Amino acid sequence: MLICGDVPLPLPLGSISTSSAPSIPDKDHFDEVFSKLQVVPDPRLIVVGSDAALAATLTRLMRTERLHIELAYVAEYHSDATNTYRLSAGARGARTALKGTAERVPLIRDDAGIALVGCATVTGPSGGPLIGEAYADDTLLFSGTTAKIDITPTPQMPGLRASVEPRSRWLPRRWVEGRAVQLGSPAAVLTRDEVPHPRELVRSTFYRHDQEWLLVR
């Protein structure tokens, strides 16, 4: 089990071997965890923390070719990732992490090789309008100007969905499913799982990885 940041440990997990990491672990924090899991016949890693912690863990599993490891997520409260994958939070989520069954789900990543588990949001600089053009597969999401784009994984194929914010709050929001979302813009600000990208982008792509991951539900 990997406890990320200053989060309470649910009682059902009190007897599990633990490793501690910052709220967003980097690659060095996984060495101890992986050394323990490599001697386990059916390895399962429980991540206690935020969506960003889960995304960092999944990214590391992907980059080190360890997607055979079952991954369970225990959030203190419901989040974008728990809503996306229909997971419980708190003590109920902890019990699922211990007794649930691992299922193969699409792995969504971006062109920087970072996994997405909850939601990515793209806006213009300083949260202003986003200028450019974006597609979900062959479907045009917008061309010109929009307030923002939201991109989330889906637990089933084709793997992700995307939506632009409606021009009026009275209009329904339209989600488009696909394998990939591509954006081109003079200047775009990307936030993945509530973690801001360090610089503005002129293009960004999210797409389904060629392997799935094992999510405990």
Side-chain angles (χ1 to χ4, degrees), residues 7 26 35 37 43 49 61 77 91 100 112 120 122 125 129-130 132 152 159 173 177 183 191:
V7 293
D26 61 31
S35 66
L37 291 174
L61 292 181
Y77 305 106
V122 188
L130 176 64
T152 70
R173 187 154 193 165
E177 293 190 345
L183 165 74
T191 301

Side-chain angles (χ1 to χ4, degrees), residues 122-126 128-134 142-146 149 182-190 199-204:
V122 188
T123 68
S126 302
L130 176 64
I131 301 171
E133 189 172 79
F142 87 98
S143 180
T145 303
T146 190
I149 297 179
Q182 300 181 67
L183 165 74
S185 170
V189 176
L190 169 65
R199 62 186 180 278
E200 294 179 358
L201 302 171
V202 297
R203 63 181 60 86
S204 181

Side-chain angles (χ1 to χ4, degrees), residues 7-193:
V7 293
L9 181 64
L11 288 176
L13 301 178
S15 61
I16 306 298
S17 175
T18 65
S19 296
S20 298
S23 56
I24 305 178
D26 61 31
K27 62 181 182 180
D28 294 334
H29 297 110
F30 293 103
D31 293 341
E32 179 184 358
V33 176
F34 289 162
S35 66
K36 293 178 181 178
L37 291 174
Q38 69 182 1
V39 297
V40 178
D42 298 305
R44 173 175 296 189
L45 175 56
I46 301 173
V47 177
V48 181
S50 65
D51 288 1
L54 177 64
T57 304
L58 181 55
T59 297
R60 197 62 192 155
L61 292 181
M62 175 181 64
R63 291 181 176 179
T64 58
E65 300 183 351
R66 289 183 169 93
L67 291 174
H68 64 284
I69 295 176
E70 298 176 357
L71 193 54
Y73 178 40
V74 181
E76 185 177 4
Y77 305 106
H78 283 286
S79 66
D80 289 325
T82 62
N83 293 336
T84 292
Y85 296 108
R86 305 181 188 95
L87 302 173
S88 300
R92 187 174 178 181
R95 289 190 289 270
T96 300
L98 292 172
K99 299 180 180 179
T101 301
E103 302 176 8
R104 295 188 178 276
V105 296
L107 195 167
I108 301 305
R109 54 171 289 180
D110 67 2
D111 44 8
I114 300 174
L116 177 69
V117 297
C119 183
T121 299
V122 188
T123 68
S126 302
L130 176 64
I131 301 171
E133 189 172 79
Y135 284 84
D137 290 352
D138 296 327
T139 301
L140 179 66
L141 292 170
F142 87 98
S143 180
T145 303
T146 190
K148 67 174 182 175
I149 297 179
D150 289 325
I151 304 162
T152 70
T154 60
Q156 68 285 325
M157 294 298 184
L160 59 72
R161 64 177 189 161
S163 175
V164 297
E165 189 169 281
R167 294 184 180 275
S168 169
R169 64 175 181 171
W170 307 111
L171 295 175
R173 187 154 193 165
R174 181 177 69 104
W175 289 91
V176 179
E177 293 190 345
R179 178 189 175 275
V181 170
Q182 300 181 67
L183 165 74
S185 170
V189 176
L190 169 65
T191 301
R192 306 181 201 83
D193 294 317

